[in-house]
Amino acid sequence: MKKIILTGDRPTGQLHIGHYVGSLRNRIKLQNSGEYDEIYLMLADVQALTDNFDHPEKVRENVREVALDNLAVGVDPEKSHLLIQSQVPALFELFTYYMNLVTVARVQRNPTVKSEIKMRGFQASVPLGFFSYPVSQAADITAFDATTVPVGEDQAPMIEICREIVQRFNTIYGKTLVMPEILLPENKASLRLPGTDGKAKMSKSLGNCIYLADDPKTVHDKVMSMYTDPNHLRISDPGNVEDNPVFIYLDAFATQDHVDEYLKDYESLDALKAHYTRGGLGDVKVKRFLEKVLQETLEPIRKRRAILEKDPGYVEEVLRQGTEKACEKASETLQRVKDNMQMTYFKN
Ligand code: ATP
Ligand code: MG
């Protein structure tokens, strides 16, 4: 069986370092491993509209921004198809058929949907489009026969619903759809990177992000004003590294090479943590180290982005070709689905 990847982003804003460690970094590694037969990266503009329907211009602008972010971190159009969801009509036909296979109660129990409804203040009146997006996402995944979905931890309940749809569909209509697996980042700190404000998740919607495209000064300012351990008031106080975003970011980004280069007084990140826990180590010193690590990681991404920004024609061509390939693939799946559902009426 072919190994196929489907993953993507909502074009609701530029991508941030949470996306980088939660999804993009893995995406590039898998792309370059040569182990996958096909890779589809979706700019989920229709999903983005479900909670931004009153701001279509925001979604439109960010399709380009998110495409640039992907190309800047190393997505190679020779290996990965970058596609725009709304331009692949087969996805929405699949979505319609899958809606019959999921109950309202099942979506209501989905913890990610629950917390997103709360975050958006939708409790009183959740739009049906937003509520049903997990089903739409199942169409996105299965349309490409994806075996592997590399995403952050918040997506686990979505993949679970998708797997249930595949199971039900295949039971009712005969083996048609491929069962996908989630692939989470190996690095634990990367599963769900917290915000610079200490909130549980860095998220475009919460405004607590360090963006991949932020300039060096902005990164400096954001790191220096990051939330740390609120009880670590004096340098001599013992500190907590567990729920401290500065240390969580270090866990997600810092390598032993970084420690050797920038932290001459410490053998390892663990030694730095032990000192902070004991007391006697100030936040500023730790933040300065984190800033160096982040600047070093972001600098090549920024440079590539600046070059790509000057060539809008290239980005458009990448999206056009990726979308074309996606349309071919999704149409084949849709044909299989309709055949097995006895919904094909005319021979061609
Ligand atoms: P929105 O608030 O519009 O939903 P978002 O910041 O949650 O935006 P998405 O486009 O929904 O971003 O997510 C894209 C991918 O990035 C998904 O795989 C998701 O799991 C991952 N991701 C998003 N935020 C984080 C984070 N803070 N830590 C780890 N992974 C993340
Ligand atoms: Mg999200």
Side-chain angles (χ1 to χ4, degrees):
M1 197 174 74
K2 278 189 169 178
K3 289 176 81 179
I4 300 178
I5 288 180
L6 177 280
T7 185
D9 314 287
R10 294 158 34 98
T12 53
Q14 292 186 343
L15 298 186
H16 52 66
I17 61 171
H19 298 118
Y20 181 72
V21 294
S23 182
L24 295 171
R25 186 159 67 180
N26 220 6
R27 203 176 284 183
I28 305 306
K29 198 174 116 202
L30 297 169
Q31 169 193 274
N32 296 336
S33 73
E35 281 178 28
Y36 289 85
D37 299 291
E38 292 165 38
I39 302 176
Y40 297 90
L41 305 181
M42 174 178 291
L43 303 172
D45 60 341
V46 177
Q47 191 186 119
L49 266 186
T50 63
D51 56 333
N52 291 282
F53 49 85
D54 46 350
H55 292 289
E57 72 293 340
K58 171 175 159 192
V59 174
R60 195 196 161 84
E61 277 161 27
N62 282 306
V63 164
R64 198 183 122 72
E65 295 297 331
V66 174
L68 281 171
D69 284 327
N70 270 277
L71 294 167
V73 297
V75 163
D76 176 356
E78 299 287 322
K79 298 177 182 154
S80 302
H81 306 295
L82 203 52
L83 66 114
I84 304 178
Q85 184 188 23
S86 61
Q87 306 306 300
V88 185
L91 299 175
F92 308 100
E93 284 189 58
L94 291 173
F95 174 36
T96 303
Y97 297 134
Y98 296 173
M99 287 231 251
N100 299 327
L101 308 179
V102 186
T103 64
V104 170
R106 179 67 187 89
V107 178
Q108 271 166 343
R109 278 205 311 275
N110 179 310
T112 300
V113 171
K114 259 196 212 163
S115 73
E116 287 181 339
I117 286 176
K118 213 168 146 195
M119 204 166 96
R120 287 162 179 74
F122 277 160
Q123 288 97 319
S125 55
V126 52
L128 200 49
F130 183 81
F131 186 74
S132 57
Y133 94 74
V135 186
S136 171
Q137 206 166 302
D140 302 338
I141 294 169
T142 54
F144 300 102
D145 293 334
T147 50
T148 313
V149 187
V151 283
E153 196 182 36
D154 63 319
Q155 292 303 305
M158 304 300 163
I159 312 300
E160 213 33 63
I161 288 188
C162 177
R163 289 172 58 86
E164 288 167 21
I165 290 173
V166 169
Q167 174 69 38
R168 286 205 80 190
F169 194 102
N170 289 347
T171 306
I172 299 170
Y173 305 109
K175 174 106 184 73
T176 314
L177 303 175
V178 174
M179 185 64 82
E181 308 265 354
I182 189 170
L183 187 67
L184 293 170
E186 279 167 23
N187 178 303
K188 260 188 79 194
S190 300
L191 288 173
R192 191 176 301 235
L193 203 74
T196 51
D197 57 357
K199 287 219 180 79
K201 189 183 161 217
M202 178 176 289
S203 165
K204 284 172 278 183
S205 315
L206 293 174
N208 55 8
C209 308
I210 295 175
Y211 293 97
L212 295 177
D214 277 346
D215 60 49
K217 166 88 168 63
T218 307
V219 172
H220 169 86
D221 293 348
K222 286 183 179 174
V223 170
M224 288 305 160
S225 56
M226 265 177 81
Y227 175 93
T228 63
D229 174 4
N231 298 318
H232 186 245
L233 296 174
R234 282 175 301 258
I235 291 183
S236 56
D237 289 339
N240 174 14
V241 296
E242 298 300 329
D243 311 311
N244 188 328
V246 176
F247 282 95
I248 298 174
Y249 289 12
L250 284 175
D251 278 332
F253 284 95
T255 60
Q256 186 58 41
D257 283 350
H258 288 131
V259 176
D260 296 341
E261 186 174 351
Y262 299 123
L263 271 189
K264 303 274 186 259
D265 330 343
Y266 298 87
E267 290 237 307
S268 63
L269 186 53
D270 283 341
L272 185 78
K273 285 184 186 170
H275 191 183
Y276 191 85
T277 310
R278 239 179 8 250
L281 174 58
D283 284 330
V284 172
K285 184 159 177 184
V286 187
K287 285 180 171 178
R288 282 210 183 106
F289 175 48
L290 174 62
E291 191 203 337
K292 290 198 176 110
V293 171
L294 287 181
Q295 300 283 19
E296 191 180 306
T297 309
L298 296 177
E299 184 54 22
I301 299 175
R302 253 183 232 133
K303 276 200 179 131
R304 274 196 298 271
R305 203 179 197 281
I307 295 170
L308 289 160
E309 271 171 10
K310 292 195 191 109
D311 196 353
Y314 170 75
V315 178
E316 192 181 321
E317 193 51 26
V318 165
L319 290 172
R320 205 180 55 76
Q321 288 185 17
T323 303
E324 237 166 58
K325 179 72 189 58
C327 282
E328 270 169 43
K329 179 84 179 185
S331 299
E332 284 168 24
T333 307
L334 177 63
Q335 194 53 57
R336 215 164 66 224
V337 160
K338 286 168 90 173
D339 286 347
N340 291 357
M341 293 183 79
Q342 308 179 42
M343 305 291 283
T344 312
Y345 296 98
F346 307 114
K347 301 228 168 357
N348 49 358

